[in-house]
Structure formats: C-alpha cells, structure tokens
Amino acid sequence: MIRLDSISKQNGKQIVFIEAAATLLKGEKIGLVGPNGAGKTTLFRMITGEEAPDEGQVSIDRGVTIGYFSQDVGEMSGRSAAAEVMDGAGPVSAVAAELKEIEAAFVDPEQADNMDSLIERYGEVQARFEELGGYALEGRAAEVLAGLGFSQEMIDGDVGKLSGGWKMRVALARILLMRPDVMLLDEPSNHLDIESLIWLEQFLKGYDGALMMTSHDRAFMNRIVTKVVEIDGGALTTYSGDYEFYAQQRALNEKQQQAQFERQQAMLAKEIAFIERFKARASHAAQVQSRVKKLDKIERVEPPRRRQSVAFDFPPAPRSGEDVVSLKAVHKGYGSRRIYEGLDFHVRRRERWCVMGVNGAGKSTLLKLVAGATDPDTGSVSVGGSVKMGYFAQHAMDVLDGERTVFETLEDSFPQAGQGSLRTLAGCFGFSGDDVEKRCRVLSGGEKARLAMARMLYDPPNFLVLDEPTNHLDIGTKEMLIAALAAYEGTMLFVSHDRHFLAALSNRVLEITPDGVHQYGGGYTEYVARTGQEAPGLRN
C-alpha cells in the first residue's frame, strides 16, 4: 500500500534519513519507534504529503485513503463533539449540517411563510442523509466518543468548552470514525485513562485497515502491533513481531554486534602489533606487506550505536516512622457532588499504593488531601513523624518560573549541589547539551513535567505522592524512572494510567468505585488476576 524507497531527508543541519526504506502492507499494524527527535513525525508528514523527501520516493497505491492523527489538533468550537467527529466522515457531514439548519428554521418565527418549501427540502435532505448512512454514522460517532470516555453531556455540548486533552480525543475519534484504508496515529494513547486505552486497543485490533503508530505506552503498543519499524541514525530497521520481541531482538543484535566488534578489534590489535614490531626488519618485509594489505581489505565492524540512557539513582532518603499518613472519617465534596463519605485509609512505611478509579472518581482529590493541597470537609488527615513528602501534581509544571533556564531552576532548588551532578540530573530527564539553557517559558508541557519531577526527586523525599507522573515521558525515560523507583526505599502513593508502570511498582491497590472504596493487598498484577479486569470502569 505504502512504500518508502531510498528516502533521504535533512532538517537544517540534522540528517533525519539516509537512503531509508520500509513498507506498510494491507492489514499490517506497525509500531514506529525511535528516540525523541529521530524523525517519527517527519516520516508521517512525508507519507501524508505535508513534507517531501530530499531524495527517494514515497509511493502510495492509487485510491488509498489515509487518516492522520497528530498532537496538533487545531481550533475547535461552535458545534457539538458529535458534529465535529462526523465532520471527518465526508459528504454525510455536510448533509447533517443542512438538516440541523432546517430544523432550526422550523422554530424560527421569521421563517413561518417558508414552511412548505422547508418541509419539502427537509424531506429531500433527510432521504439523502439516510442514503449515506447518516443515522448509523451518528450512532457510531456516539459509540466511538463514549469508548474514549465522553459522557452524553460532553458528546452533545460545545466542543470549544473542552480542555486540550479532550479535544485531542475528539480529533482521534474523527480518524477512528472515518475508518480510512490507512491510519497514521502519532501518540494516540496520550491523555487517555486506562478504560479508554483498553477500548482503543480493542477497536484497533478489530480494524482491518493498515496502521502505523507511535506510542509512549509500552503495554498498549505491545498488544496491537505485529511489526516494529525503528528509526535510528537515519536508517529504518524492520522487526517482525510485537514490541517485546523488538526490545529483546534489538538487545540481542546489539550484544552480537558488540561481540563481533570486540573480536575484530582484538584481531586488528594483534596484526598491528606484528606490523609495528617487524616493519623495520628486512627478513620480515614480505610478511609485513602481506598483513598491511590484509588489513586494508578488512571490512570494519562498527560498534552498536549507543542510545543515550542515563540511570538515575536516588540518594538514600531519611527513614520515616512506620505510620506515614492516616485519613479518618474523611468527607469531601464539591458543591452537591460527594466524593468521599467517611473514608478511612492508612499508608504505612514502604507500602506502594496505586489508586484506581474511573475519571471523576476522586483519585486526584485523594492525593490532594494526602498532600495538604486541599482540606477535608470533615474528618482528619494526619502525616506521620519524620515524613518528608514529595508531591507531583498533574499541574506541577505551573509553578516553574518562566524566565529561569532549566539549569538555573535546578541550581535555585539545590544551591549546594555541584554543577556536574545537576547536569547529570538534567540529562536523566532528557535535558542534554544546550537544552539546559532553555527558558522554562519555551518548554513543552512534557519538558516542564520532566523538570518538575527532576527537581522533586533530586533531594529525595521518603514519601512520594505522584499524580500521573508518566503522562509526558517517552518509553526510555519511563524505563529509567521505573528502575529508579523500583530501587527507592521510601513509600509511594500514585495514580497512573500506564499499566507497565502500575505492574512494576505497586504492592497495594486502592480502588475507588461508586459502591465505595476497596483495598487490595498485592500490586496491580494481583488486582487484575483477582478482579478479572484491568480497570474498575471495565467491571460489570
């Protein structure tokens, strides 16, 4: 369906692709992977024709329709989420808009004299709407939006009043409803809760077109893709298998290449030592010449390209008391809406609680109560002795000073720290080279989140309260964070929609449901085994 033949592309001084090649065939589901800035979005834009390769060719079979979801969703306002989604479905959306206009005219007193012509036109438009499958489309649009977490009120309401994250879901729903021959999805898992992620997984598994996608969610990627195309150093390398197979195969290839490189280096060193030792002796001249010629002909094995990966190690945190935090008979509501009624909850040292619940269940509210960012209406929240808390809120980045650079922000927080250790810290969280001189006001949301987390983790608290800490992190940074937190000896209370993160780090589960709050011993993996579901919103 789509072929990339000997593609070369340069953006400014950066070489993105050098004679790269790949194919996307009918029905294939491909995961596109590579470090940040490797060229994943550029590849998508070349396929859609928004950018052209400098050399080589992008070939697309005649008549193939392509739907492209990117993080840049543009402006949306003035109509319902359902209408916005249906707008991507072709001619039927224009017919639907005309139907709505005529329906509005029916109740307009100024149109009373035109009623006969309006009724006649309404019949014609309605017949056309039915012919194009409009009523079925309306139902499908509502089904897709509901799957992505929209309430009926949000489906019917003005899309302009939605947050950026919900507008992203509307843009994604447009592509899903369109059901093109090829879907290009750039980070579709961003901004989705677990229930929506699992719904999207099922939808994409059942989609019979071709799919190429990027995602920072390892579990999501692993369950959908059957082939992985890696961008690294300007080349495209294809692996047949899911994400786990790719990760294992890549590690194995690196190991084998490193071993080949080391064997060849040892052989070369031996040959060069012989040449150096005997080059001045006439008796060995023929042997020396023979070995010099042999060395010239040898094809050199390159060492494997090392991905930039810096491990982050927590300095030891001071030990807290056994009782870390205690909530007793807590009531909390907003207006007429009750979130908690008589909640009792205790966290003890070295427990790692993950908090589960559908959107709006009160997960962030619980973390705010524990962190002291909000007060209970009645009841008490008490933090234990020697507890040093670090709280990462979803909007932790809002407190950064826009005029300070990344490095200055870290220096301000840790004036006693050496420049070297602060640069290492910055590198762990994706700020290398000149990135540390960026002012906070120009940072993306993801960069701000990483900086806020770096600042929180350097001087380690013994109690971490984390609200969606992985939202903006790529797979490599998440792996670094998981490894660091796995070795962390403090206590944790966290909310995350990343199942790999949940499974790796939790040893307790607090589930918030309309029926009440349930506590489970054992981590997320045990919770799934016990309940038979990966999230509370999926249970009947």
Side-chain angles (χ1 to χ4, degrees):
M1 295 181 87
I2 296 174
R3 287 169 301 286
L4 306 170
D5 298 316
S6 298
I7 297 294
S8 294
K9 180 73 176 174
Q10 190 164 338
N11 288 337
K13 291 182 180 177
Q14 186 198 1
I15 295 171
V16 186
F17 296 109
I18 308 168
E19 296 189 354
T23 57
L24 175 59
L25 304 175
K26 186 176 174 60
E28 280 190 330
K29 294 181 169 61
I30 292 180
L32 187 62
V33 303
N36 278 347
K40 297 188 288 290
T41 301
T42 301
L43 187 69
F44 281 148
R45 290 169 66 86
M46 287 197 293
I47 292 172
T48 59
E50 292 174 52
E51 287 189 36
D54 299 335
E55 292 175 21
Q57 191 175 5
V58 178
S59 306
I60 300 170
D61 288 351
R62 188 184 298 278
V64 167
T65 56
I66 297 176
Y68 174 37
F69 168 75
S70 74
Q71 295 294 302
D72 183 14
V73 299
E75 278 304 305
M76 292 182 189
S77 66
R79 52 184 172 179
S80 69
E84 190 71 46
V85 169
M86 287 170 63
D87 185 50
V92 70
S93 59
V95 179
E98 189 176 352
L99 268 184
K100 288 274 192 290
E101 283 173 21
I102 298 170
E103 286 166 1
F106 282 153
V107 295
D108 183 352
E110 291 183 14
Q111 296 286 342
D113 295 341
N114 302 326
M115 201 52 66
D116 289 345
S117 63
L118 283 172
I119 290 169
E120 186 181 344
R121 180 62 186 153
Y122 189 73
E124 292 168 2
V125 175
Q126 196 173 37
R128 178 68 178 141
F129 190 63
E130 278 186 37
E131 188 187 318
L132 291 168
Y135 290 110
L137 188 73
E138 210 164 335
R140 278 176 47 217
E143 190 183 324
V144 169
L145 285 166
L148 292 175
F150 285 76
S151 65
Q152 192 59 48
E153 187 182 351
M154 292 166 77
I155 290 171
D156 297 333
D158 182 356
V159 71
K161 292 180 179 170
L162 298 175
S163 68
W166 285 100
K167 284 180 180 173
M168 289 267 191
R169 296 191 195 203
V170 171
L172 176 59
R174 276 175 71 123
I175 306 297
L176 301 182
L177 186 68
M178 178 183 168
R179 289 189 88 96
D181 299 319
V182 176
M183 279 193 212
L184 305 177
L185 304 181
D186 197 359
E187 297 295 344
S189 52
N190 274 7
H191 306 286
L192 297 185
D193 52 36
I194 293 184
E195 286 82 4
S196 301
L197 269 172
I198 291 167
W199 178 88
L200 182 57
E201 267 173 23
Q202 296 307 317
F203 184 98
L204 293 176
K205 280 182 189 174
Y207 165 64
D208 55 10
L211 169 70
M212 182 180 277
M213 71 169 189
T214 64
S215 176
H216 290 159
D217 188 313
R218 182 175 180 149
F220 176 74
M221 176 97 81
N222 199 46
R223 292 174 188 214
I224 295 167
V225 307
T226 53
K227 192 162 133 182
V228 172
V229 172
E230 179 190 55
I231 307 177
D232 194 12
L236 293 172
T237 307
T238 299
Y239 297 80
S240 292
D242 59 15
Y243 185 85
E244 289 301 324
F245 173 81
Y246 152 73
Q248 290 165 8
Q249 195 62 42
R250 190 183 193 284
L252 182 63
N253 291 353
E254 272 192 2
K255 193 174 176 183
Q256 289 173 343
Q257 193 175 342
Q258 182 66 31
Q260 277 183 308
F261 172 73
E262 286 172 4
R263 279 198 300 273
Q264 190 181 68
Q265 289 299 303
M267 182 273 289
L268 292 174
K270 196 173 172 183
E271 293 294 317
I272 290 166
F274 180 90
I275 292 165
E276 288 298 317
R277 184 177 174 192
F278 295 109
K279 67 182 178 183
R281 296 190 191 178
S283 59
H284 287 73
Q287 284 178 286
V288 167
Q289 280 305 311
S290 169
R291 295 196 182 199
V292 167
K293 283 177 184 174
K294 178 184 164 187
L295 287 187
D296 287 341
K297 288 178 184 173
I298 287 175
E299 190 175 330
R300 297 294 198 266
V301 175
E302 293 293 324
R305 271 193 298 272
R306 295 289 178 202
R307 285 275 176 87
Q308 258 196 329
S309 59
V310 187
F312 176 73
D313 294 318
F314 278 93
R319 180 178 166 137
S320 71
E322 288 302 313
D323 292 316
V324 176
V325 69
S326 180
L327 285 74
K328 292 182 181 171
V330 165
H331 284 65
K332 181 67 182 176
Y334 296 102
S336 60
R337 185 163 161 260
R338 310 307 305 158
I339 307 288
Y340 295 111
E341 294 184 343
L343 172 65
D344 291 317
F345 176 50
H346 306 281
V347 178
R348 292 177 177 81
R349 190 174 76 84
R350 297 200 70 174
E351 289 180 341
R352 294 158 173 256
W353 287 90
C354 71
V355 185
M356 309 286 296
V358 298
N359 266 343
K363 302 186 294 293
S364 293
T365 299
L366 175 67
L367 268 56
K368 286 177 184 173
L369 286 164
V370 167
T374 191
D375 295 320
D377 299 336
T378 61
S380 66
V381 178
S382 53
V383 176
S386 305
V387 170
K388 180 183 175 188
M389 189 187 305
Y391 174 44
F392 180 86
Q394 283 190 35
H395 305 292
M397 48 273 215
D398 295 345
V399 299
L400 299 171
D401 182 341
E403 293 309 309
R404 304 293 282 166
T405 66
V406 168
F407 194 76
E408 286 168 347
T409 301
L410 295 175
E411 272 192 321
D412 293 345
S413 302
F414 311 110
Q416 305 303 317
Q419 288 218 350
S421 67
L422 291 184
R423 285 190 181 276
T424 300
L425 173 67
C428 287
F429 286 88
F431 299 103
S432 55
D434 294 341
D435 288 344
V436 294
E437 302 306 325
K438 283 184 181 176
R439 295 198 186 280
C440 289
R441 61 181 157 75
V442 304
L443 298 179
S444 67
E447 287 171 325
K448 286 179 181 176
R450 296 203 306 268
L451 178 56
M453 191 171 291
R455 195 166 65 162
M456 181 184 71
L457 296 179
Y458 185 68
D459 183 18
N462 51 31
F463 179 34
L464 287 174
V465 179
L466 308 174
D467 196 355
E468 299 286 8
T470 62
N471 254 3
H472 300 281
L473 305 183
D474 61 29
I475 289 178
T477 311
K478 277 185 198 177
E479 296 295 344
M480 177 275 292
L481 185 62
I482 288 170
L485 291 174
Y488 168 68
E489 295 191 348
T491 307
M492 289 172 62
L493 174 69
F494 62 94
V495 173
S496 174
H497 61 237
D498 188 297
R499 286 159 289 174
H500 182 53
F501 189 88
L502 291 169
L505 295 173
S506 59
N507 60 22
R508 302 280 190 284
V509 175
L510 185 75
E511 181 191 59
I512 305 167
T513 73
D515 305 328
V517 175
H518 311 288
Q519 301 185 21
Y520 295 86
Y524 176 71
T525 305
E526 290 84 355
Y527 164 83
V528 173
R530 189 180 299 185
T531 64
Q533 298 287 0
E534 292 184 288
L538 301 171
R539 290 162 71 183
N540 297 324

